[in-house]
Amino acid sequence: MVAFSKILIANRGEIACRIIRTAHDMGFETVAVFSDADRDAPHVQQASEAVAIGPAAASDSYLKIDTIIAAAKTSGADAIHPGYGFLSENANFAAACQKENITFIGPSPSAISLMGNKAEAKRRMIEAGVPCVPGYEGEDQSDALFIQAADAIEYPVMVKAAAGGGGRGMRLVNKAEKLEKALSAARSEAQNAFGSDELILEKAVIEPRHIEIQIFADMHGNVVHLGERDCSIQRRHQKVIEEAPSPAVSASLRSQMGAAAVAAAKAIQYSGAGTVEFLLSQDGSFYFLEMNTRLQVEHPVTECITGFDLVEWQLRVARQEKLPVDQNEIHLSGHAIEARLYAEDPYKSFLPKVGTLLKWEAASGPDRRTDHGLKNGYEVTPHYDAMIAKVIAWGQTREDARQKLIHALQNTVDLGLVTNRQFLINCLKHENFAAGAATTAFIDTYFPKKVLKRPEPTSRDLLLAACLHFDCRKHQQGLSTDGWDSSDALWAPVRLNIADKIQDFEIKQIDECALLIKSENQEYSAQFSTSADGHATLACEGHQTSARFAFSQGTLFLQTPNCQFSSNEITLATGESEAGAGDGRILAPMNGRLLHMLAEPGQSVTKGQTVAILEAMKMEHEITSKIDGTVKSIAAKADEQVATRALLLEIEPVEA
Ligand code: MV4
């Protein structure tokens, strides 16, 4: 038995938190590592102790082998869990741990490096009798040999980088005339991306499903599989939705694929958690693609249908225990689906988006699970992967799981960030997915750019936004709803900027909760209320709308059941507003950055004189004095971010 007691987690975010949870449950101490960007991150707070490992860039911190090993030594950690990504499939890192007598929680360096090369892996898998796509994976890399091999297996063919993964350096070639050009392009791409221009060739499988088998091996020769995961819903080789079991895999196909995956692991004396990826063709045949020698992002769906804790198994195997069960003790129960929440904008080419998570609430409820490393105020930076959380639901049937996951995503609060949450809901609701028929072509087929439209707020959503701004303004002006009196019963204009569109409202407070709202020549009578934890409800014409909200520097972030949007109040920018007009208090007409403060204390100013310049909504706005007078005080300085109605300066009127 290899004893270890303190585990360093060489990772961050949700997977670091996931590993810490099981490690603590089992009685281990944990050490987090963190870059400058992650000082206050939840994984750091959750670990028993934490070590700083350098600048924000991953190449300067989470990818630095020597620094991570040094962190283990200074903290006395005697084992390292690499998580996924970063150093998890780096054979040199596994070897460095071994050399320092630190238990690497993963397979041997030789298994990692063997599976890191597709040509070598494929030759070994063919030897072991694992079905592989017909192709060429020889050492002779001459064009002549590739041309001959392609003719023999017949077009279309795939050219792949031997050192590659995740689709980089991959080319689909439909006819012989195009092969040579594809070979040279793939070689240069592979050389640039992986430092090796070695290629392999395969017959192309058209519109396959991505099916992977979770395997587990101990150091005593026992290997089991835990069924498959269907990861067909991907975008540019980035997984989006995963599920277990696959709607396309029968019990008999499962046992065939499971046996092939177990044979693959045995052939290389594998130990620990591994995933054997297969392509499942439309005709039901399956082919080995590659083997991932780590715990995968989507492991929770397997945990949900087997009831096992895969991190616990990893730790047991690493201390040389036998696998806790035999193959015949593994039973799959129900169905689980995982959706990956990314900080990205699906309506802008899925570009990653940085920002501050103002309010985070993971969905709760029976059979829901959210794996994350988030908290209120969490900053999404450009340094790491855009995936911020995984939302998982289990159900007796696939349909139960699908419905619960949609509900969970609708009840996940991610205010302040732009995420793919609504896109995930739309994917899960799509009839092709609901029917269990989705292949790797799902997103390109059903969600091409032209059908990806940002959900627009409904008119009720807009009324709610107007009420929230109105309410916020009252609080800013020190008027509490409790202290309401009839003098408030005036129509107040509320002008909002929502997605660069101007929306005008007028609101009159009738009593503590009742409001009259005018919008687009209609008058509504509404009951409006908010709670301290950011719930808002609006009952209007017999229909109640609920939403979650947060204000940050005057910007309102609103999440309604059908969309998410932000809005800014610009009522003062009209210059005809009630507040701040008559007196010498000059307020910011909208959220923005103060470019210049042109006035100084004691200076005399005349009505109409420009006293400050505000940059907002991509324009410069001159702020002018409404009166003749003397500058009494300055309340904001250049470069400062100011919120709507923030005091900029105060002018003492000259006596008439
Ligand atoms: C293939 C293929 C069709 N035929 N190989 C993409 C990433 C890499 N892991 C392997 N990939 C593919 N290999 C042959 N012989 C189609 C893909 C593929 C794919 C595979 C799994 C999930 C999504 C995919 C999207 C496009 C292409």
Side-chain angles (χ1 to χ4, degrees):
M1 193 89 120
V2 181
F4 54 85
S5 58
K6 197 187 254 194
I7 303 167
L8 180 142
I9 296 96
N11 217 299
R12 62 181 302 284
E14 65 88 15
I15 192 61
C17 296
R18 165 72 191 89
I19 295 160
I20 290 167
R21 169 165 71 79
T22 289
H24 286 178
D25 284 352
M26 292 175 73
F28 292 104
E29 286 189 278
T30 57
V31 180
V33 291
F34 62 96
S35 71
D36 291 346
D38 283 339
R39 222 166 268 288
D40 303 317
H43 79 275
V44 176
Q45 293 165 343
Q46 289 168 19
S48 325
E49 56 193 287
V51 181
I53 51 166
S59 54
D60 296 330
S61 50
Y62 296 103
L63 286 168
K64 272 200 141 26
I65 294 178
D66 294 347
T67 310
I68 304 269
I69 298 280
K73 293 189 141 178
T74 55
S75 60
D78 42 10
I80 295 184
H81 195 308
Y84 55 71
F86 295 135
L87 295 170
S88 62
E89 292 179 289
N90 186 314
N92 294 331
F93 180 57
C97 291
Q98 223 168 42
K99 185 163 157 268
E100 300 294 337
N101 272 322
I102 297 166
T103 302
F104 177 76
I105 300 167
S108 66
S110 64
I112 296 173
S113 65
L114 171 66
M115 284 303 173
N117 181 291
K118 280 195 166 68
E120 208 182 330
K122 215 172 153 183
R123 291 194 290 265
R124 287 290 284 271
M125 292 303 110
I126 292 168
E127 238 175 66
V130 177
C132 292
V133 196
Y136 173 74
E137 55 284 327
E139 275 164 21
D140 185 337
Q141 292 281 303
S142 69
D143 279 12
L145 249 173
F146 277 94
I147 293 165
Q148 194 190 337
D151 287 337
I153 62 176
E154 295 180 352
Y155 288 84
V157 297
M158 282 282 191
V159 174
K160 297 182 177 182
R168 275 210 291 181
M170 197 173 83
R171 288 277 185 294
L172 174 64
V173 185
N174 285 307
K175 42 180 186 260
E177 301 90 277
K178 303 219 163 153
L179 184 60
E180 273 175 286
K181 231 176 135 187
L183 287 171
S184 76
R187 277 196 188 103
S188 105
E189 200 173 311
Q191 183 67 47
N192 281 328
F194 312 110
S196 153
D197 65 359
E198 189 186 350
L199 301 178
I200 66 167
L201 192 75
E202 286 181 352
K203 186 164 182 66
V205 181
I206 305 305
E207 275 199 35
R209 285 208 187 219
H210 173 125
I211 308 289
E212 57 187 33
I213 303 278
Q214 175 71 55
I215 62 103
F216 242 98
D218 64 22
M219 295 180 195
H220 310 277
N222 304 302
V223 186
V224 298
H225 76 85
L226 297 164
E228 78 285 1
R229 294 184 287 260
D230 191 325
C231 311
S232 295
I233 313 292
Q234 309 196 355
R235 210 196 120 261
R236 305 235 175 126
H237 306 297
Q238 187 161 270
K239 291 171 184 166
V240 177
I241 295 171
E242 304 104 332
E243 62 183 301
S246 165
V249 174
S250 65
S252 101
L253 181 57
R254 177 170 308 117
S255 66
Q256 288 174 59
M257 294 180 81
V262 167
K266 284 192 167 156
I268 60 167
Q269 280 97 53
Y270 195 79
S271 73
T275 295
V276 185
E277 290 186 5
F278 294 96
L279 290 179
L280 177 62
S281 98
Q282 307 269 347
D283 68 11
S285 40
F286 64 89
Y287 307 100
F288 171 84
L289 205 52
E290 53 192 75
M291 180 169 182
N292 301 316
T293 55
R294 58 165 195 275
L295 186 71
Q296 303 230 147
V297 174
E298 59 273 24
H299 75 277
V301 292
T302 301
E303 296 187 319
C304 287
I305 64 159
T306 60
F308 300 127
D309 178 332
L310 299 195
V311 174
E312 179 188 341
W313 281 30
Q314 284 190 296
L315 302 185
R316 292 193 184 285
V317 166
R319 63 179 181 201
Q320 299 186 5
E321 287 182 32
K322 287 192 172 159
L323 288 178
V325 298
D326 296 331
Q327 188 68 54
N328 60 21
E329 293 170 277
I330 296 169
H331 305 286
L332 309 185
S333 162
H335 202 101
I337 312 178
E338 170 179 284
R340 296 190 186 191
L341 193 64
Y342 289 99
E344 65 183 14
D345 189 347
Y347 315 104
K348 273 200 182 135
S349 312
F350 293 89
L351 238 58
K353 297 283 274 188
V354 299
T356 306
L357 182 57
L358 299 173
K359 185 184 288 294
W360 166 250
E361 273 174 35
S364 57
D367 307 326
R368 278 103 168 141
R369 163 173 169 183
T370 302
D371 282 16
H372 67 88
L374 301 171
K375 60 175 186 177
N376 292 343
Y378 179 89
E379 286 288 333
V380 175
T381 69
H383 303 292
Y384 313 111
D385 195 272
M387 191 189 81
I388 55 167
K390 312 183 300 208
V391 185
I392 305 117
W394 179 92
Q396 209 84 59
T397 65
R398 182 173 189 272
E399 187 53 19
D400 289 345
R402 190 181 71 90
Q403 219 160 296
K404 287 181 196 177
L405 184 54
I406 291 169
H407 185 263
L409 286 164
Q410 283 168 337
N411 288 282
T412 298
V413 180
D414 55 7
L415 283 167
L417 292 181
V418 175
T419 73
N420 67 336
R421 197 169 48 79
Q422 196 62 48
F423 172 70
L424 292 170
I425 294 168
N426 294 342
C427 287
L428 291 164
K429 283 184 172 174
H430 194 280
E431 60 180 7
N432 183 257
F433 181 82
T439 70
T440 48
F442 176 79
I443 291 176
D444 287 342
T445 306
Y446 299 109
F447 296 93
K449 208 170 174 161
K450 64 175 186 296
V451 309
L452 278 170
K453 287 242 160 53
R454 194 183 302 280
E456 299 255 342
T458 63
S459 51
R460 278 173 186 289
D461 297 341
L462 297 177
L463 292 180
L464 193 50
C467 291
L468 281 162
H469 279 290
F470 176 77
D471 197 52
C472 173
R473 180 204 298 186
K474 276 191 326 203
H475 286 102
Q476 262 178 352
Q477 293 171 340
L479 307 169
S480 78
T481 22
D482 312 336
W484 180 88
D485 72 73
S486 56
S487 67
D488 289 337
L490 295 168
W491 284 103
V494 177
R495 173 170 279 194
L496 303 184
N497 175 3
I498 299 176
D500 289 330
K501 272 223 294 270
I502 298 204
Q503 313 270 357
D504 277 306
F505 305 86
E506 283 183 82
I507 300 184
K508 182 151 83 173
Q509 184 106 37
I510 302 304
D511 64 29
E512 261 180 60
C513 306
L515 302 172
L516 287 178
I517 313 165
K518 280 191 213 164
S519 163
E520 315 222 291
N521 300 320
Q522 291 245 51
E523 193 171 311
Y524 303 92
S525 165
Q527 295 284 318
F528 168 73
S529 67
T530 60
S531 70
D533 60 348
H535 285 267
T537 58
L538 182 77
C540 183
E541 299 180 317
H543 187 286
Q544 182 169 304
T545 314
S546 297
R548 305 302 305 268
F549 74 95
F551 276 97
S552 175
Q553 296 181 314
T555 299
L556 168 66
F557 293 84
L558 200 57
Q559 177 175 332
T560 70
N562 63 301
C563 79
Q564 196 148 347
F565 63 96
S566 61
S567 93
N568 281 293
E569 196 198 341
I570 52 168
T571 315
L572 289 183
T574 61
E576 58 196 47
S577 161
E578 82 301 1
D583 61 33
R585 287 158 44 84
I586 298 189
L587 310 180
M590 55 196 132
N591 297 337
R593 189 172 65 96
L594 197 65
L595 270 186
H596 304 290
M597 172 55 73
L598 303 170
E600 296 175 8
Q603 184 184 342
S604 38
V605 293
T606 54
K607 185 176 171 183
Q609 183 177 338
T610 303
V611 288
I613 296 177
L614 182 74
E615 184 187 61
M617 302 196 299
K618 302 180 191 105
M619 278 166 36
E620 291 185 12
H621 303 266
E622 293 190 357
I623 314 289
T624 56
S625 174
K626 306 277 186 296
I627 53 170
D628 293 338
T630 310
V631 177
K632 191 163 110 190
S633 63
I634 302 284
K637 55 182 188 297
D639 240 22
E640 216 171 275
Q641 200 66 34
V642 293
T644 308
R645 277 168 222 283
L647 182 66
L648 300 180
L649 65 157
E650 213 164 339
I651 296 167
E652 182 85 43
V654 283
E655 303 301 331

